[in-house]
Amino acid sequence: MSAVLGHHDTHAHDHDHHAPTGWRRWVYATNHKDIGTLYLLFAFAMLMVGGVLALLIRAELFQPGLQLVNPELFNQLTTMHGLIMVFGAIMPAFVGFANWMIPLQIGASDMAFARMNNFSFWLMIPAALILVSSFFMPGGAPAAGWTLYAPLTLQMGPSMDAGIFAMHILGASSIMGSINIIVTILNMRAPGMTLMKMPMFCWTWLITAYLLIAVMPVLAGAITMTLTDRHFGTSFFNPAGGGDPVMYQHIFWFFGHPEVYIMILPAFGIVSQVVPAFARKKLFGYASMVYATGSIAILSFVVWAHHMFTTGMPVTGQLFFMYSTMLIAVPTGVKIFNWIATMWKGSMTFEVPMLWAVGFIFVFTIGGFTGLILSVAPIDINFQDTYYVVAHFHYVLVAGSLFAMFAGVYYWLPKWTGVMYSETRGQIHFWWSMISFNITFFPMHFLGLAGMPRRYADYPMQFADFNAIASVGGFAFGFAQVYFFVAVVLPAMRGKGEKAPQKPWEGAEGLEWEVPSPAPFHTFENPPKLDATATRVIG
């Protein structure tokens, strides 16, 4: 409890100065670095599973006609690809970054609730197994789209119940992780590190954690109502009993839109760490970045129905959600301008983390603009459920979340493993991913503009060329991530490579660069004494 109350108990770890070994180290892990590593490896494994499903989708769409799968299995693939990528890959990866970096960045000895941290990770394993095993249940996996819209969900087989159970477990894990992050940041900062001196990554995660606690119960409510409709005779979403399927959409998107920002705010935090380091300048407009992050979080709660312009919403409602959606572009724009201003006249070098950060800014901006176009109700009504929407959210989530994660991995990998990655391999990974990503998703804008609907296993001949290009790009992008693991991550985990100095990046600032590389099992057992900027340890 002393850690929770803000008193740093220096004797807490005296019995355990040496890292435990063997399987016990990982199964019983309470060290924030070990749990962070587990989260990151789990997320990468799920990225590969979700990626295989995506490649099956692209293989089917390579040319018109049914090639590999029937339409029912195709719908299962699209549904499970979405669920696994969002809840199994992107969110756990960011929690992994939070576990690894937040205690290091604020000078804390560990996370506030170490055993709860362990529990919140291990909950994810059964949830992931239940999700993936739903393919082998009677009737196959859920096939209602990742949004799990009623009334389709009321007609699915038993795998739907398994999916709902898995989502509940993942939600509980997220809420526990969020509570841990909030308590750690608010109560365990080193003396002298005020909130406005915290690294941006800590700020973005603090706000994200509050968002998670606010919206995960909303999702839990929606899927529980679906469950009672399926088995207990209620009619929340069943029109035959007086229910309303559109009500499900309102509840889901009240969760779903803040969820989009849950998946992008930590990415903003990583980019806000990387850009100043390689521009060798302080982050431009730190306070405005903090306020912009807070504004995005608040506004994310008032724009949910822009996903529902085609549901027969009154014009007044359309206008409100249209303008509020446009408004959310303002704080996001502030961030992009701040990153550009940080780079302006900086002494920039383009090592791999900076390449990913600049690549992120470029492609995320494209994704932002396509989203702004979708905020205009009359345009959205035409593009609703077309490949234009698919292109937009992949530009935001793949080029957004995933590219920022790669920036973070390359930036902090020397601190995690104690060895430098191969710059050449990192550059190959970057250019291979960047080019193949755009080959995959850019043509989808044109498919959507031409009217190709999403979630269809077949399409007429006029869409064939762009689909073939997108499928080739998709396979190239998938293999780029396999290359990343084999050529960059595995050698670093085995300790192969040039030994990393304590501070490998000249312009990097922050307490994580004050500990040796690799970071010792226990760090900051006594709170560090900070200089005036709260980025360096005195003495």
Side-chain angles (χ1 to χ4, degrees):
M1 279 300 289
S2 58
V4 181
L5 298 170
H7 305 298
H8 296 263
D9 187 349
T10 52
H11 304 294
H13 297 296
D14 281 359
H15 64 287
D16 190 13
H17 270 282
H18 302 290
T21 52
W23 60 270
R24 281 186 178 78
R25 170 175 178 178
W26 302 102
V27 174
Y28 301 138
T30 51
N31 182 283
H32 71 98
K33 302 178 185 74
D34 284 354
I35 293 174
T37 303
L38 286 169
Y39 266 111
L40 288 166
L41 291 173
F42 168 81
F44 190 81
M46 296 307 283
L47 183 78
M48 291 292 103
V49 174
V52 167
L53 302 183
L55 294 186
L56 285 169
I57 292 167
R58 286 312 327 164
E60 175 56 56
L61 294 173
F62 180 65
Q63 58 190 54
L66 294 178
Q67 328 295 325
L68 303 170
V69 299
N70 61 24
E72 183 62 21
L73 180 55
F74 186 86
N75 288 344
Q76 294 172 28
L77 292 172
T78 51
T79 303
M80 296 303 291
H81 166 70
L83 289 174
I84 287 169
M85 288 303 202
V86 170
F87 297 103
I90 290 186
M91 289 170 69
F94 278 136
V95 178
F97 276 103
N99 266 296
W100 245 107
M101 298 318 302
I102 287 173
L104 285 179
Q105 290 191 327
I106 62 174
S109 57
D110 207 308
M111 298 293 278
F113 305 115
R115 284 190 178 85
M116 185 166 85
N117 208 9
N118 174 290
F119 186 44
S120 66
F121 170 75
W122 284 109
L123 274 179
M124 306 203 75
I125 304 296
L129 292 173
I130 292 168
L131 259 187
V132 175
S133 67
S134 64
F135 275 108
F136 307 102
M137 295 176 185
W146 81 273
T147 50
L148 305 177
Y149 274 3
L152 272 175
T153 43
L154 309 182
Q155 301 155 10
M156 293 282 134
S159 65
M160 192 68 230
D161 304 319
I164 288 171
F165 184 47
M167 302 292 286
H168 272 302
I169 300 172
L170 290 167
S173 167
S174 290
I175 289 171
M176 283 194 283
S178 300
I179 291 168
N180 217 340
I181 287 164
I182 290 170
V183 174
T184 304
I185 291 176
L186 294 185
N187 288 338
M188 296 179 67
R189 299 190 308 283
M193 179 174 283
T194 61
L195 282 174
M196 291 307 278
K197 285 180 180 171
M198 277 199 314
M200 267 313 297
F201 180 67
C202 298
W203 258 117
T204 53
W205 243 117
L206 178 65
I207 291 166
T208 302
Y210 277 113
L211 276 179
L212 272 164
I213 289 173
V215 302
M216 287 318 285
V218 178
L219 175 67
I223 56 180
T224 304
M225 290 154 89
T226 303
L227 194 69
T228 61
D229 273 12
R230 284 169 59 81
H231 296 295
F232 300 108
T234 58
S235 292
F236 291 112
F237 311 130
N238 187 355
D244 182 6
V246 176
M247 181 170 79
Y248 176 86
Q249 295 192 28
H250 278 290
I251 301 168
F252 178 85
W253 285 116
F254 191 77
F255 147 81
H257 204 80
E259 167 68 17
V260 173
Y261 291 97
I262 285 164
M263 290 189 282
I264 201 67
L265 289 181
F268 291 165
I270 292 172
V271 173
S272 300
Q273 301 292 131
V274 173
V275 170
F278 294 94
R280 290 161 182 77
K281 278 173 67 185
K282 284 251 186 271
L283 180 66
F284 179 89
Y286 173 89
S288 66
M289 281 295 230
V290 173
Y291 297 134
T293 310
S295 309
I296 288 172
I298 292 162
L299 286 170
S300 72
F301 283 101
V302 293
V303 298
W304 78 90
H306 68 210
H307 297 268
M308 301 169 55
F309 283 143
T310 53
T311 55
M313 191 190 303
V315 173
T316 326
Q318 290 188 350
L319 283 172
F320 171 80
F321 287 107
M322 185 164 107
Y323 292 138
S324 60
T325 304
M326 290 177 180
L327 192 62
I328 209 164
V330 176
T332 314
V334 167
K335 288 178 167 299
I336 288 167
F337 284 122
N338 281 12
W339 291 322
I340 293 169
T342 306
M343 292 189 272
W344 182 254
K345 293 195 174 173
S347 306
M348 284 207 290
T349 52
F350 291 95
E351 287 90 338
V352 179
M354 186 60 162
L355 282 177
W356 281 108
V358 174
F360 162 89
I361 294 167
F362 171 67
V363 264
F364 178 78
T365 305
I366 294 174
F369 275 128
T370 55
L372 201 53
I373 290 165
L374 288 172
S375 73
V376 183
I379 298 178
D380 180 83
I381 286 165
N382 282 295
F383 294 162
Q384 168 83 7
D385 267 336
T386 68
Y387 266 77
Y388 188 89
V389 178
V390 178
H392 155 67
F393 73 70
H394 281 88
Y395 264 81
V396 175
L397 282 185
V398 181
S401 302
L402 193 66
F403 282 18
M405 279 183 215
F406 285 138
V409 168
Y410 283 103
Y411 183 58
W412 285 310
L413 198 64
K415 185 57 63 188
W416 296 345
T417 62
V419 295
M420 294 301 288
Y421 60 85
S422 157
E423 188 71 21
T424 311
R425 290 174 182 179
Q427 300 236 4
I428 291 169
H429 175 225
F430 170 74
W431 289 110
W432 184 355
S433 298
M434 180 59 97
I435 293 165
S436 57
F437 168 80
N438 282 290
I439 290 172
T440 308
F441 293 106
F442 204 73
M444 291 185 189
H445 292 105
F446 303 117
L447 287 169
L449 291 169
M452 179 172 166
R454 63 178 174 171
R455 297 180 186 157
Y456 275 57
D458 193 8
Y459 53 85
M461 199 65 208
Q462 68 260 35
F463 300 133
D465 293 349
F466 276 147
N467 267 301
I469 293 168
S471 290
V472 170
F475 275 87
F477 186 72
F479 289 124
Q481 310 329 313
V482 177
Y483 172 82
F484 162 69
F485 190 74
V486 171
V488 178
V489 176
L490 278 183
M493 285 170 70
R494 289 182 181 144
K496 290 180 178 169
E498 179 193 334
K499 189 158 173 16
Q502 179 173 311
K503 185 176 168 184
W505 318 117
E506 185 193 326
E509 284 201 335
L511 295 185
E512 69 261 43
W513 307 111
E514 300 287 322
V515 300
S517 299
F521 193 67
H522 292 297
T523 42
F524 300 128
E525 296 204 357
N526 299 308
K529 297 201 168 34
L530 306 181
D531 67 358
T533 64
T535 57
R536 286 199 178 83
V537 177
I538 304 169

